[in-house]
Amino acid sequence: MERRTSERLVNLTIALLTARTFTSKDRLRDLVEGYHGLNNENFDRQFERDKDTLRALGVPIETGTDERYFADEPGYRIRRDDFELPPLSFGPAEVAVLVTAAQVWQQASVAESTTRALTKVWASGVEPDIDRLGALRPHISAREPAWQTLWDALQARRYVTFTYHNMARRVAPFVLAYRHGAWYLAGFDDTRGAPRLFKLGRIQGEVSLTGEPGAYELPATPATELLAGLEEAQPDATALLAVRSGRAPWLTRRAELVAQAEGEWRRWQLPYASGGAVVDDIAMGGADVRVIEPAELAEAVKAHHQALLANLGVTP
């Protein structure tokens, strides 16, 4: 499904799910960006196709009206009770896979679609129920090279080997978790003989699969205590960034705009936790992000870029 169609269907689902009353077709035409510019005939045809597509995907769209005396034109909505899944129970292996999958099922483009759709809902005078968006919550995607191999190992319950802090490790992966802008692997480290937490960005070299599938059993609550330590990291510093307009959304979504555009640049205040993954996040923006202050963060990002160029064999 192409991105334009996906965004239109997501926006339509949000409009139907967050509205507390039946929403007319004309109102939906105003709310959903993908319907703008269509003439009446094309809109009617597209709207009917979109309803059929959502229903085929299992989205229960209800037709009705809240008007007692003027019920000629039907409205549409998605009932929360029908849309949400009933309580489910999973085993340890299923929980480990679902926790990781839930964190990466969508890209940042869906977050942008959600923001645009909600803005239009509010602007139209409809009060959206934000609590209903849990099933549509987007998450950041993985970018570390080791992620895919570790994900494969987790699904197959195979051991992995890699170098960490200049030491060869053999690890039974328990869970992959995203915290404060970075990915972490929790698992049992055979080398140390104890459960350990590994930051993917600090793994040296490649990760290799070893052993047979199903080589170990997952604990009932995989690495809960290890991951709990990551939750304690709270922002304790603020950076002033210059970001090229429309770029680095993974930073600007967490920041506060402090100055309007200066040409193609805007200034943002970004709260961050010292010692966290902020250097990696800023460096990922490349030439579209500049650190104005603090100076030590600017130097750290510069050093990160220089190290990357050195690894690629490029002379700055």
Side-chain angles (χ1 to χ4, degrees):
M1 187 181 298
E2 64 176 3
R3 173 175 173 174
R4 187 175 303 174
T5 300
S6 300
E7 290 184 353
R8 187 180 65 251
L9 292 175
V10 168
N11 287 346
L12 177 58
T13 303
I14 291 170
L16 293 172
L17 183 63
T18 59
R20 298 179 184 274
T21 60
F22 286 100
T23 305
S24 69
K25 185 165 67 173
D26 288 339
R27 176 65 64 84
L28 291 170
R29 184 176 185 175
D30 293 333
L31 292 176
V32 179
E33 184 176 354
Y35 296 143
H36 297 172
L38 299 179
N39 60 36
N40 292 337
E41 181 180 354
N42 289 337
F43 164 67
D44 289 339
R45 187 163 51 245
Q46 186 65 68
F47 181 67
E48 293 302 319
R49 281 201 300 262
D50 288 347
K51 282 195 302 176
D52 291 342
T53 299
L54 289 177
R55 283 169 171 157
L57 293 172
V59 178
I61 300 177
E62 182 181 2
T63 303
T65 180
D66 294 307
E67 297 292 339
R68 180 176 301 179
Y69 302 106
F70 303 98
D72 295 336
E73 181 181 359
Y76 305 90
R77 70 178 180 185
I78 298 174
R79 292 176 57 88
R80 181 174 181 174
D81 293 342
D82 295 335
F83 186 71
E84 294 182 343
L85 289 172
L88 300 174
S89 60
F90 299 97
E94 294 168 319
V95 169
V97 173
L98 289 172
V99 165
T100 303
Q103 299 184 68
V104 295
W105 74 274
Q106 281 291 4
Q107 304 291 326
S109 60
V110 178
E112 296 169 4
S113 300
T114 303
T115 300
R116 287 199 300 268
L118 284 177
T119 300
K120 294 177 183 299
V121 169
W122 270 308
S124 70
V126 176
E127 181 183 357
D129 187 350
I130 301 301
D131 292 337
R132 299 185 183 186
L133 291 179
L136 296 171
R137 185 176 294 116
H139 296 272
I140 192 169
S141 61
R143 61 180 183 272
E144 286 84 354
W147 194 92
Q148 186 62 54
T149 304
L150 293 172
W151 168 248
D152 294 340
L154 182 60
Q155 292 187 92
R157 284 186 289 125
R158 293 183 64 183
Y159 281 91
V160 292
T161 58
F162 53 82
T163 301
Y164 196 82
H165 289 169
N166 298 317
M167 179 184 294
R169 308 295 182 101
R170 183 174 183 266
V171 177
F174 290 164
V175 68
L176 285 165
Y178 187 82
R179 298 290 190 278
H180 308 294
W183 279 97
Y184 294 85
L185 167 69
F188 190 87
D189 184 355
D190 273 8
T191 308
R192 293 291 184 89
R196 286 290 187 270
L197 194 64
F198 305 93
K199 186 176 181 179
L200 268 60
R202 294 176 181 168
I203 291 177
Q204 300 163 268
E206 296 184 355
V207 176
S208 300
L209 296 169
T210 184
E212 298 296 324
Y216 60 90
E217 295 296 328
L218 289 170
T221 55
T224 302
E225 294 182 0
L226 291 174
L227 296 176
L230 296 176
E231 302 296 346
E232 298 173 359
Q234 297 295 327
D236 57 5
T238 302
L240 180 61
L241 307 177
V243 181
R244 206 184 303 270
S245 295
R247 303 300 177 88
W250 62 92
L251 292 174
T252 57
R253 282 198 298 267
R254 297 152 44 191
E256 179 182 356
L257 183 65
V258 296
Q260 294 303 315
E262 301 172 1
E264 59 179 344
W265 297 89
R266 290 188 174 188
R267 293 195 175 192
W268 300 81
Q269 279 190 339
L270 175 71
Y272 67 95
S274 301
V278 66
V279 173
D280 294 343
D281 286 346
I282 294 174
M284 190 172 66
D288 293 324
V289 181
R290 301 172 182 170
V291 179
I292 300 174
E293 57 184 39
E296 57 269 22
L297 180 59
E299 288 298 320
V301 173
K302 180 180 178 181
H304 186 286
H305 284 150
Q306 290 175 339
L308 177 60
L309 292 174
N311 290 335
L312 295 174
V314 177
T315 303

